[in-house]
Amino acid sequence: MRCLQDEGVEYLFGYPGGAVLHIYDALYKQEEIKHILVRHEQGATHAADGYARSTGKPGVVLVTSGPGATNAVTGIATAYMDSIPLVVFTGQVMTHLIGDDAFQEVDAIGITRPCVKHNFMVKDVRDLALTMRKAFHVATTGRPGPVVVDIPKDITAHKAPYVFPKDPSLRSYKPVTDGDPEAIRKAADCLLTARRPVVYSGGGVVIGNGARELTELVRWLGAPCTNTLMGLGAFPATDPLFVGMLGMHGTYEANMAMHECDVLLAVGARFDDRVTGDLDKFCPNARIIHIDVDPASIQKNVPVEIAVIGEARRVLAALLATLKASGKRLDAASLSAWWRQIDEWRARRCLDYDRANTEVIKPQFVLETLYRLTAGQAFITSDVGQHQMWAAQFYKFDEPRRWINSGGLGTMGFGLPAAIGVQLAHPHETVACVTGEASIQMCIQELSTCKQYGLPIKIINLNNRYMGMVRQWQEFFYQSRYSHSYLEALPDFVKLAESYGHVGVRIDKPGDVEAALKEALAQNDRLVFLDFITDQTENVYPMIAAGAGHHEMHLATDRELA
């Protein structure tokens, strides 16, 4: 507890068990750190994750040994894929029992090794403070990520003098912060040759607190900017230079600009397969500049001409300063011609849907209405599926850290517990969880946690009675053979929400959508579960099929995708 206090930890998300009872007893004896009792260890990791994403501070988790540790693995892997700083303390059986298949023993170090930035086992109480200090240092510096600290029960029963280590450095761990000046100069020279530039930014800009620097650079260049799913909010979505999200469900203009660009500046992005499509068709005519804090990300998926290793914020500031010092600008005539082409692509209105339909609720309409009523100022968490893509497409994020979703792992069940962490971190802000009837049931027990701590989260359940994205793929690629994607035994979500002590509302008419959202948003002290009965046949467009390139998108007007 002293270590956590000295690290400035505000919330500890956890669930008690035998191996961590000494720690929980110490927790009982202090008041500085607030413990949030979740109803499942996966919920603890997702809640800590949501807290971390929305604040930039590390999320902290405490679980017991055995199933407590294994239940936490999904949330640890979720944070690892998206580079989110977590410190997860797992209880362990007593040291003399390790390896004996003791009650509630698992090899937490071995199990988590593939999905953590680092992990430790504490074998001597005198090493505990230094190990914890190292854990927070590793989790929050360089490319952030989860760190697991496995603590045998007998270690927490022993005593040692407390010293808070001032220097947590590890000899083998020296993350780079400032980019190489020569590489930055080459990047500037390359950018100035562009006739059709594109700036492509990912979650690393958000995590690295580089949104302001990115925005200044893009506006100075006058170039189009696109964000990945994880990077939404790094550049203001309402800025005319923003061409939308790119990738599998990105906008037509963003994907076509990527395909046709001649210089691509990639910042804090890892060239994920959902972004690139077929690598052989990716940016065929572009010189690529890649800025990333993680050397392992450079040249990993896509060959690049110029690499700058360093923190996004620092490198972007240095790059802009170098560009300004050059006294040069991009060729104005070429840039004007490039924007004329982009505006032609924009004219395709790739996100249009049937707004005139008064018979059934369109999910896009729900999200457009939510955006309008919240003036784009809400924190939006999401689960994974069609609803996630519609939220990314139709809720415009002008600020970083307001879009909270599982990108890399794609974890159903993430949205509600993540909203818990966000709401605790921002108690006076509107927090909405956009979910679907399949995803919400993965961690729905956390409605109990919401009740205990009085969290007024708004749940936007886009209920199409299908595992929506699974059904969409089955329609497109499996000749509409809907194998086990239909949910035939759904609960009454209104009654379920009410059974937990919350407000539940069912909405099945388009004309009732706005009033229901207004009423929910007006209830500042209650969780409201809004069950929107939406069009079962609606699909997410645009879509790039597997094996296709950015220029081979299918829009809502296309009939065949297979």
Side-chain angles (χ1 to χ4, degrees):
M1 288 304 108
R2 285 287 304 278
C3 285
L4 296 182
Q5 290 168 359
D6 284 344
E7 289 287 352
V9 173
E10 182 181 14
Y11 289 106
L12 179 62
F13 300 89
Y15 200 93
V20 290
L21 286 183
H22 292 317
I23 303 175
Y24 268 89
D25 192 48
L27 180 66
Y28 182 85
K29 297 172 183 176
Q30 60 86 58
E31 296 181 353
E32 187 170 333
I33 295 170
K34 306 173 189 70
H35 181 271
I36 304 301
L37 177 66
V38 296
R39 300 317 191 253
H40 190 284
E41 290 88 352
Q42 182 178 342
T45 50
H46 291 332
D49 186 319
Y51 175 89
R53 291 181 199 239
S54 66
T55 63
K57 303 174 184 178
V60 187
V61 176
L62 174 61
V63 298
T64 194
S65 64
T70 57
N71 282 347
V73 168
T74 296
I76 294 170
T78 299
Y80 179 70
M81 289 290 284
D82 291 343
S83 304
I84 305 303
L86 295 188
V87 178
V88 181
F89 298 100
T90 57
Q92 185 54 273
V93 300
M94 294 187 184
T95 51
H96 71 277
L97 294 175
I98 293 174
D100 289 353
D101 295 330
F103 177 67
Q104 290 193 334
E105 178 192 1
V106 297
D107 179 6
I109 296 296
I111 288 171
T112 61
R113 185 172 289 118
C115 60
V116 294
K117 186 175 178 183
H118 196 59
N119 56 22
F120 301 88
M121 176 183 278
V122 182
K123 297 180 180 179
D124 189 319
V125 69
R126 291 169 294 185
D127 297 331
L128 181 59
L130 180 58
T131 301
M132 291 177 67
R133 187 83 172 94
K134 287 179 177 179
F136 278 90
H137 175 66
V138 172
T140 57
T141 55
R143 181 177 181 172
V147 175
V148 166
V149 182
D150 199 37
I151 310 176
K153 184 173 182 177
D154 55 318
I155 299 301
T156 62
H158 297 162
K159 293 184 178 181
Y162 176 72
V163 177
F164 184 70
K166 293 183 179 180
D167 181 14
S169 61
L170 290 79
R171 284 183 299 171
S172 59
Y173 176 68
K174 302 293 181 184
V176 176
T177 56
D178 297 300
D180 176 63
E182 180 61 19
I184 292 172
R185 185 192 61 76
K186 289 180 179 178
D189 290 344
C190 182
L191 272 173
L192 290 169
T193 69
R195 297 295 181 265
R196 300 183 305 279
V198 168
V199 178
Y200 148 52
S201 75
V205 177
V206 176
I207 295 164
N209 299 313
R212 183 174 64 84
E213 288 76 12
L214 174 76
T215 302
E216 290 179 2
L217 175 66
V218 171
R219 288 174 176 166
W220 188 88
L221 290 169
C225 181
T226 180
N227 291 158
T228 66
L229 178 71
M230 295 304 303
L232 293 175
F235 187 81
T238 56
D239 192 293
L241 298 177
F242 186 62
V243 291
M245 183 177 71
L246 81 161
M248 177 175 282
H249 297 297
T251 66
Y252 185 74
E253 52 268 32
N255 285 331
M256 288 302 297
M258 288 285 286
H259 186 72
E260 296 293 335
C261 73
D262 66 346
V263 174
L264 175 66
L265 174 61
V267 190
R270 57 190 177 89
F271 296 95
D272 172 73
D273 62 293
R274 292 297 172 102
V275 161
T276 62
D278 185 352
L279 285 172
D280 291 335
K281 302 174 183 177
F282 178 73
C283 294
N285 304 309
R287 301 173 68 189
I288 300 177
I289 305 163
H290 190 187
I291 299 171
D292 204 284
V293 73
D294 183 7
S297 293
I298 305 294
Q299 312 283 9
K300 182 177 181 180
N301 296 326
V302 172
V304 302
E305 181 175 329
I306 300 167
V308 186
I309 299 169
E311 293 179 355
R313 178 175 58 86
R314 293 173 179 267
V315 174
L316 287 169
L319 178 59
L320 180 57
T322 303
L323 286 165
K324 289 180 176 179
S326 73
K328 301 176 183 177
R329 300 299 293 259
L330 295 179
D331 181 72
S334 298
L335 196 58
S336 294
W338 181 222
W339 276 110
R340 285 194 296 273
Q341 174 62 77
I342 291 171
D343 286 340
E344 288 182 19
W345 291 326
R346 276 177 167 165
R348 295 288 297 270
R349 300 178 65 88
C350 67
L351 297 182
D352 269 1
Y353 64 94
D354 183 10
R355 288 181 171 83
N357 192 316
T358 58
E359 301 299 318
V360 63
I361 296 174
K362 293 291 184 180
Q364 303 96 318
F365 174 67
V366 177
L367 291 163
E368 282 187 324
T369 307
L370 178 66
Y371 170 72
R372 177 166 52 82
L373 294 178
T374 59
Q377 292 301 303
F379 286 86
I380 305 295
T381 73
S382 87
D383 275 300
V384 172
Q386 287 180 315
H387 56 272
Q388 176 190 28
M389 295 299 107
W390 284 317
Q393 290 175 335
F394 289 93
Y395 200 99
K396 298 177 177 63
F397 296 94
D398 279 346
E399 299 174 29
R401 299 193 182 279
R402 288 186 175 267
W403 168 235
I404 314 292
N405 82 120
S406 169
L409 196 64
T411 306
M412 294 172 68
F414 174 84
L416 177 57
I420 290 173
V422 176
Q423 189 74 80
L424 286 164
H426 307 276
H428 303 299
E429 299 280 353
T430 298
V431 179
C433 169
V434 177
T435 186
E437 75 294 330
S439 281
I440 190 62
Q441 293 190 82
M442 292 281 186
C443 285
I444 202 162
Q445 73 282 343
E446 300 309 327
L447 285 173
S448 180
T449 305
C450 295
K451 179 62 176 177
Q452 179 173 348
Y453 298 100
L455 304 177
I457 296 162
K458 313 309 174 195
I459 297 176
I460 314 299
N461 188 38
L462 302 181
N463 186 347
N464 63 8
R465 289 81 72 208
Y466 273 106
M467 297 177 202
M469 193 60 84
V470 173
R471 183 207 60 77
Q472 177 169 332
W473 278 59
Q474 288 173 335
E475 176 186 336
F476 291 164
F477 307 119
Y478 297 90
Q479 293 74 53
S480 297
R481 294 187 294 273
Y482 300 127
S483 177
H484 299 281
S485 57
Y486 175 61
L487 303 180
E488 297 175 309
L490 288 174
D492 182 327
F493 286 109
V494 172
K495 290 182 178 178
L496 183 59
E498 290 173 346
S499 75
Y500 278 102
H502 303 302
V503 177
V505 183
R506 178 185 171 101
I507 307 98
D508 54 17
K509 295 183 177 61
D512 296 334
V513 168
E514 181 165 341
L517 283 169
K518 279 184 176 178
E519 175 63 24
L521 293 169
Q523 299 198 48
N524 297 322
D525 58 348
R526 299 290 300 277
L527 182 147
V528 182
F529 193 118
L530 296 166
D531 188 24
F532 292 97
I533 309 304
T534 61
D535 188 349
Q536 287 189 286
T537 65
E538 196 70 24
N539 292 321
V540 179
Y541 291 102
M543 182 171 181
I544 301 175
H550 280 140
H551 62 304
E552 298 171 315
M553 281 165 288
H554 291 268
L555 307 183
T557 52
D558 299 330
R559 295 296 180 186
E560 296 295 330
L561 200 70

